[in-house]
Amino acid sequence: MRRYLPFLLGLFALAALLRVEFFFTIAYLFFAVYVLARLWMRAAPAGLRVTRRFSPRAFCGEQVTVDLELHNGGRLPIPWVQVHESLPVDLISPPRAQAVASLAPGERRRLRYTLDCRKRGYYALGPLRARSGDLLGLVDPPPWEVAAEHLTVFPRVVALQRLGLPARAPLAALAARTPLFEDPARVAGVRDYRRGDSPRRIHWTATASAGRLLVKQYQPAIARETLVVLDFDENNYTPQQRYEAGELGVVVAASLIHHIAMRERLPAGLLVEGFDPRAGERVRRLLRPRRERAHVTLLLDTLACIQLAPGTPVATLLDEARVQLAWGTTLAIVTPRPDAALFATLARLRRGGFAVALVLVQPGQLPANLRAQAGLLGVPVRRVWDEHDLEARL
Amino acid sequence: VTRDAWLEDARLEDALRPLALAAMIACLAVASVDLAHLFAPDWNGAYFVVACVLASLEATLSFHVLRARGQGGGGWRFRVAEFALFFLLLKAGRYVGQPWAAVQADVSQWSQDLFTFLDGQTVVAFMLVFFAWDATNDTLRDFARLGAHAAGAAAGMGAPQPAAHAARTLDLGWLDEGIDRPALERVTRRFFWGAALLLVLTGVTRLGLARLLQLDSPPVPGLVINVLVYFGLGLALLGQLRFASLRREWQSQGVALPGYLAWRWVRYSLAFLGLAAAIAFVLPTGYSLGPLSAVATLVGWLAWLIALIVFVLMLPLLWLAALLGGLPFTAAPPAPPAAVEPGGLIGSGGPAWVQVISSFGFWALIAVMVLYVVRSYTLERPELAALLALITPLRWLRAWGAALRRWARGRVRVAPGEARAAPAPAQRAGPAVAWLRPRGARERVLFYYTSVLQRAAAAGLSRRAAQTPGEYRETLGAGLPEAREAADTLTAAFVEARYSAHAVDAAGERRARGGWQRLRQALHGVRR
């Protein structure tokens, strides 16, 4: 109300000029209305607390219900407040949630909306913008914002029936005939203690039961670790298939990791380079193989957020990462288009004691020359183009 | 029917608004009649008041009838019939209370001289009634524009509702108000002008023409019912209008309205206005010294105080001069100003000094309120504040006030950057004369941006000459992470205002103002 203050000044002037005592009362009334409205609008919105309650992670295909709670923690009522939450268009249409409420002191109101997680990603819920005002429109406080929170939608995970990856690799969870390592997580049995055995190998429970020192015997393995390498170099994807191939590559990587870590209970890791919206820049993530559930969540988090970006070729990535990997680690490389440099790197890796498997994300049949080249190196190759392929061929 | 549904019922709104308008018109008519009694004490003005109320109610009826017939502004035959009816009613009302013979005599003259039918009293009354009718009609039209009652408001907060306008679905589009601001301004302007007219009419009537220019005449006590009713109804109507406008805006945005909102609005409005009225009725309204006498007395005491200080400072010199000259030392302090005689007071009750002090308190209270209003007004209009800042005495006052505030907060040590309270005019954005130009939305947005540039520079976030607005936004965002959104908003508004050819709308200007205010707060925190 732009003319309120000039009118108020006029009221004071008229009251002083006409000298009617009641006019001063009227001027006081309008002055009090203005001052109280300002004070109210300064104090009341400050007490507004907005809380979002939702599960911050979800799998593709799930629905996430978000409870938006408005709580007036102040001592004054908030006559009206309009809230507007910006939401990702990939999860809800129309991409917003909005409501109007009036909040008494201490009162809580809830706005509930449901997000349909149709696509993996890292989504901002919000920012929530709120505005309020007084009852007469005298004070127009600027709208304020509540920072956005994020929802991570994991990529789709396909249950793999068969992996068909190299037998030397623990992808198939096979024990090696020539033991180089022993897997302390796989106890094969116990035997009598011999001089020189590490005290850490003593099986105290069995020792107590048998009455003599017994030590654990572990299952031998040449490699316990699998690293899934996802080629997310945008230059390696044709523009026509960039979206489908990229997303399918993520699904393949997530399914492999899930299978290895959750079904086989073996360590799984991830190597990928792409744009990470959390960091706001292109990043390289080398998450070394581990088997903890939290680590799997971290891997899926990374796969949920990563986006295609021009970056380092996968062959260079592998060359740079190999020094950080344990000997005998299986590398499952997911790529849309292998080139000569990649095959050269694969040959070096094979010679270096790594087990290698190649998963091509591309339509059509495997080219004969590619199959022959991989055959020469002893690298198993699988082609995937849709999720059905993924389940059937891997 | 629940209470909430009853309050939401459009029929209630349609019934109460015209009644409130008619009552306000009646208040004005009563004030007019009271004033007319000063000149014509025997005139019976009751019929005029009734005619004004009837005209207002008839305006409501005709507005709805013509609207239903689809002739909002037409129907001239209808109008002619209305006005003729008004005139005849006024003519008939004039004869109320007069003897039948006098009426017959007057009527008999109509055929001989037509101008006896169109007598001055009736014509003037007709013009005033027309004024009441027209004001009601215009107000109803604005009401219709502001708060067209959209049926089917959903109750309670629920799932997101589909919006009527796709443009409101993205980003800040939700802030674009659906309120017809010109209509709202017209309604408030009408109310304010009506209030001013009412006060003038009532004031002149109460004070009397003879005492109008005698500023030291005593104030007129007593409650003025029609003024109280007018202002009470006006405030209630403005509150209801605000609610209706917002309701329409929210419904156009597809926002579900909670069913309890109307009742809460009524409850909070009553509490709010009740508190304001309680404060208003508690504050003093009477005084014994007129404003001029109060100022004169104050100036007299201040002059005496200064003279006394000078006298005390000069005392050693005078004593030395007397000693060297061999003269007797006879210096005497300046005499205090004459005390206000009880006869000089325009009020009564209590000792004179109590009346003087209470009068000073009263005028000081008024002065504080007026200063607060002026300050608020200038703060709401940054271009006016910038213009006032160019006036040197005001700048001194402002610097003095700022220093006083710092001192009061115990911040005696001033940082080097804060030593100068107000920047020199040459350092302000744009030439000084530019502030004298009337400012539109585009200029306001540019002002907000340049204001932020100046404040940010003072806080150590100055813009490099080669930085584009987008680059500088990143600098601001990095320095003030809590105001990053505000920086984005203001920069976007600035780029639009600076480089676009189309007009900058009021909503864009309001968004920029919001960003400016948030950034100003954030920068204030940095400087502090």
Side-chain angles (χ1 to χ4, degrees):
Chain A
M1 212 181 287
R2 291 176 64 82
R3 290 186 172 80
Y4 190 84
L5 291 178
F7 170 69
L8 192 48
L9 284 176
L11 269 185
F12 276 113
L14 278 176
L17 190 71
L18 297 171
R19 303 184 294 286
V20 178
E21 286 187 0
F22 186 66
F23 289 2
F24 283 109
T25 303
I26 294 291
Y28 290 153
L29 172 69
F30 277 72
F31 181 79
V33 162
Y34 179 70
V35 173
L36 289 177
R38 281 191 69 161
L39 293 177
W40 191 4
M41 282 305 103
R42 189 177 296 174
L48 182 68
R49 302 278 177 274
V50 181
T51 317
R52 290 188 196 88
R53 288 201 182 87
F54 65 99
S55 169
R57 291 186 178 85
F59 275 97
C60 220
E62 287 182 350
Q63 287 196 326
V64 173
T65 301
V66 182
D67 276 321
L68 196 65
E69 185 181 271
L70 310 176
H71 174 222
N72 180 9
R75 293 180 181 176
L76 292 172
I78 299 174
W80 63 269
V81 58
Q82 181 184 5
V83 294
H84 174 104
E85 172 113 297
S86 300
L87 295 171
V89 73
D90 285 334
L91 303 185
I92 191 169
S93 180
R96 71 186 178 284
Q98 48 187 0
V100 170
S102 173
L103 296 166
E107 190 176 8
R108 295 169 195 271
R109 296 266 168 195
R110 283 189 180 81
L111 168 67
R112 174 173 286 190
Y113 57 88
T114 304
L115 302 172
D116 195 4
C117 303
R118 296 178 288 242
K119 187 183 162 195
R120 60 120 196 158
Y122 181 68
Y123 297 105
L125 307 186
L128 180 136
R129 296 183 174 93
R131 71 175 181 126
S132 183
D134 64 311
L135 298 164
L136 292 171
L138 301 179
V139 188
D140 191 15
W144 68 99
E145 292 178 355
V146 178
E149 292 177 70
H150 291 88
L151 168 70
T152 304
V153 178
F154 290 147
R156 192 179 301 279
V157 171
V158 178
L160 305 180
Q161 298 303 315
R162 298 175 290 125
L163 277 174
L165 290 176
R168 280 169 59 198
L171 274 174
L174 294 180
R177 290 182 180 176
T178 51
L180 291 177
F181 298 113
E182 288 179 324
D183 187 349
R186 292 165 175 252
V187 179
V190 292
R191 61 168 172 77
D192 285 328
Y193 176 81
R194 291 180 208 143
R195 186 183 296 273
D197 282 340
S198 168
R200 282 190 290 180
R201 299 184 62 151
I202 296 173
H203 196 310
W204 291 107
T205 315
T207 299
S209 175
R212 64 180 193 280
L213 276 175
L214 295 174
V215 294
K216 296 172 197 164
Q217 271 196 305
Y218 299 121
Q219 194 172 13
I222 56 170
R224 295 166 292 163
E225 301 178 342
T226 303
L227 184 77
V228 176
V229 182
L230 177 60
D231 178 6
F232 237 38
D233 178 13
E234 194 178 62
N235 300 326
N236 217 12
Y237 288 78
T238 58
Q240 296 83 3
Q241 295 161 358
R242 187 169 291 161
Y243 177 76
E244 292 90 341
E247 289 305 306
L248 190 60
V250 170
V251 172
V252 168
S255 302
L256 284 171
I257 287 169
H258 185 263
H259 182 88
I260 293 162
M262 306 307 291
R263 294 280 178 84
E264 303 292 341
R265 299 188 179 281
L266 289 168
L270 176 69
L271 172 62
V272 66
E273 186 178 278
F275 178 79
D276 190 337
R278 294 171 298 187
E281 59 184 357
R282 186 165 61 90
V283 293
R284 181 182 298 181
R285 300 271 184 229
L286 172 57
L287 302 165
R288 281 187 236 173
R290 294 173 66 181
R291 82 176 74 190
E292 296 87 0
R293 198 179 183 87
H295 182 67
V296 177
T297 307
L298 179 66
L299 299 181
L300 292 178
D301 257 346
T302 306
L303 284 172
C305 300
I306 205 77
Q307 292 172 14
L308 280 169
T312 315
V314 69
T316 314
L317 271 184
L318 285 166
D319 279 335
E320 290 173 3
R322 61 180 293 187
V323 293
Q324 301 180 50
L325 300 174
W327 186 84
T329 299
T330 298
L331 302 171
I333 299 146
V334 182
T335 178
R337 204 164 50 179
D339 54 9
L342 178 60
F343 276 112
T345 301
L346 293 183
R348 280 197 297 277
L349 289 168
R350 287 277 295 164
R351 282 198 299 275
F354 292 96
V356 179
L358 203 55
V359 181
L360 299 184
V361 184
Q362 59 176 225
Q365 296 295 320
L366 274 178
N369 59 337
L370 195 146
R371 192 191 298 272
Q373 204 171 357
L376 280 175
L377 291 174
V379 174
V381 183
R382 297 289 179 270
R383 186 202 63 85
V384 176
W385 184 239
D386 57 37
E387 288 172 10
H388 177 73
D389 287 344
L390 187 68
E391 198 160 355
R393 293 172 192 275
L394 294 186
Chain B
V1 180
T2 64
R3 181 187 59 201
D4 295 332
W6 184 74
L7 283 171
E8 280 285 326
D9 195 338
R11 286 173 299 185
L12 181 72
E13 211 170 82
D14 290 342
L16 287 184
R17 278 179 174 175
L19 287 177
L21 280 179
M24 291 167 75
I25 293 282
C27 294
L28 277 166
V30 167
S32 308
V33 170
D34 287 346
L35 182 66
H37 280 160
L38 287 183
F39 305 100
D42 297 333
W43 179 55
N44 179 14
Y47 83 92
F48 173 71
V49 175
V50 172
C52 285
V53 172
L54 288 177
S56 176
L57 292 174
E58 196 280 335
T60 306
L61 182 69
S62 66
F63 177 78
H64 286 298
V65 167
L66 289 178
R67 221 173 156 210
R69 286 165 53 181
Q71 299 176 21
W76 63 272
R77 286 194 190 108
F78 191 90
R79 295 292 186 216
V80 168
E82 271 181 292
F83 299 149
L85 184 66
F86 288 160
F87 195 85
L88 290 175
L89 280 174
L90 284 169
K91 193 73 187 169
R94 200 192 145 194
Y95 295 125
V96 172
Q98 289 192 19
W100 180 243
V103 175
Q104 275 185 323
D106 202 17
V107 169
S108 63
Q109 287 184 349
W110 291 356
S111 56
Q112 296 165 8
D113 184 2
L114 189 61
F115 283 104
T116 54
F117 179 72
L118 300 171
D119 64 300
Q121 183 184 326
T122 310
V123 169
V124 169
F126 175 76
M127 287 169 69
L128 293 174
V129 166
F130 174 78
F131 169 75
W133 176 89
D134 190 47
T136 306
N137 207 30
D138 287 347
T139 308
L140 287 172
R141 195 174 296 125
D142 288 331
F143 280 169
R145 286 194 182 119
L146 278 168
H149 194 97
M157 293 174 69
Q161 300 293 310
H165 305 297
R168 300 189 191 286
T169 60
L170 293 175
D171 203 21
L172 285 171
W174 70 289
L175 279 176
D176 292 338
E177 294 180 358
I179 296 177
D180 188 344
R181 287 205 167 263
L184 187 63
E185 290 295 324
R186 280 196 298 273
V187 171
T188 51
R189 190 172 57 213
R190 215 168 282 132
F191 166 64
F192 290 156
W193 278 115
L197 180 66
L198 177 65
L199 291 183
V200 169
L201 293 175
T202 309
V204 171
T205 307
R206 295 252 163 174
L207 198 64
L209 288 171
R211 288 197 301 161
L212 198 58
L213 295 176
Q214 295 171 10
L215 289 180
D216 279 339
S217 60
V220 182
L223 187 72
V224 189
I225 294 294
N226 60 332
V227 172
L228 180 65
V229 170
Y230 181 90
F231 281 96
L233 285 175
L235 280 175
L237 210 55
L238 288 180
Q240 200 278 331
L241 207 56
R242 170 76 170 158
F243 176 70
S245 309
L246 284 172
R247 182 180 59 197
R248 184 184 182 187
E249 179 193 337
W250 292 330
Q251 286 173 347
S252 74
Q253 291 174 357
V255 182
L257 260 70
Y260 61 85
L261 193 63
W263 170 238
R264 286 266 178 102
W265 199 282
V266 171
R267 214 170 59 184
Y268 290 152
S269 296
L270 287 176
F272 178 71
L273 292 179
L275 179 63
I279 293 171
F281 278 99
V282 163
L283 290 174
T285 53
Y287 54 88
S288 300
L289 271 181
L292 296 181
S293 301
V295 170
T297 308
L298 188 67
V299 169
W301 280 99
L302 280 176
W304 175 76
L305 192 65
I306 292 168
L308 191 65
I309 292 169
V310 171
F311 170 75
V312 169
L313 291 175
M314 296 291 289
L315 205 56
L317 292 176
L318 291 173
W319 178 72
L320 270 177
L323 201 65
L324 292 173
L327 298 171
F329 179 63
T330 57
V340 180
E341 297 295 329
L345 298 171
I346 53 180
S348 60
W353 65 272
V354 172
Q355 292 186 44
V356 170
I357 288 175
S358 64
S359 296
F360 275 135
F362 171 79
W363 289 115
L365 179 69
I366 298 290
V368 166
M369 288 180 176
V370 168
L371 283 176
Y372 181 83
V373 172
V374 170
R375 182 176 173 273
S376 302
Y377 188 73
T378 50
L379 282 178
E380 283 183 7
R381 285 156 184 79
E383 72 277 9
L384 183 63
L387 179 63
L388 290 176
L390 292 177
I391 302 170
T392 307
L394 288 179
R395 208 163 60 233
W396 288 346
L397 273 177
R398 195 176 158 200
W400 181 74
L404 198 65
R405 279 199 300 276
R406 280 198 297 271
W407 176 81
R409 288 174 190 162
R411 296 181 60 200
V412 180
R413 297 185 65 172
V414 180
E418 292 178 302
R420 194 175 57 234
Q427 290 177 320
R428 293 176 184 282
V433 288
W435 299 111
L436 299 173
R437 290 200 301 263
R439 301 196 158 261
R442 188 186 300 277
E443 284 78 14
R444 281 169 183 263
V445 172
L446 297 182
F447 169 80
Y448 298 144
Y449 191 76
T450 49
S451 163
V452 164
L453 285 184
Q454 286 180 352
R455 287 167 184 271
L461 291 168
S462 55
R463 186 180 76 89
R464 294 198 307 275
Q467 266 185 318
T468 64
E471 290 166 348
Y472 184 60
R473 178 185 57 194
E474 296 303 319
T475 307
L476 268 182
L480 306 165
E482 72 278 15
R484 183 180 285 275
E485 291 279 346
D488 292 348
T489 306
L490 182 60
T491 305
F494 167 72
V495 170
E496 185 188 355
R498 175 69 181 81
Y499 299 109
S500 73
H502 61 258
V504 177
D505 59 355
E509 191 265 336
R510 275 197 299 280
R511 282 200 294 274
R513 178 151 52 102
W516 171 64
Q517 286 172 342
R518 285 198 299 278
L519 277 168
R520 201 173 56 170
Q521 287 168 0
L523 286 167
H524 184 66
V526 169
R527 292 179 69 180
R528 195 164 48 183

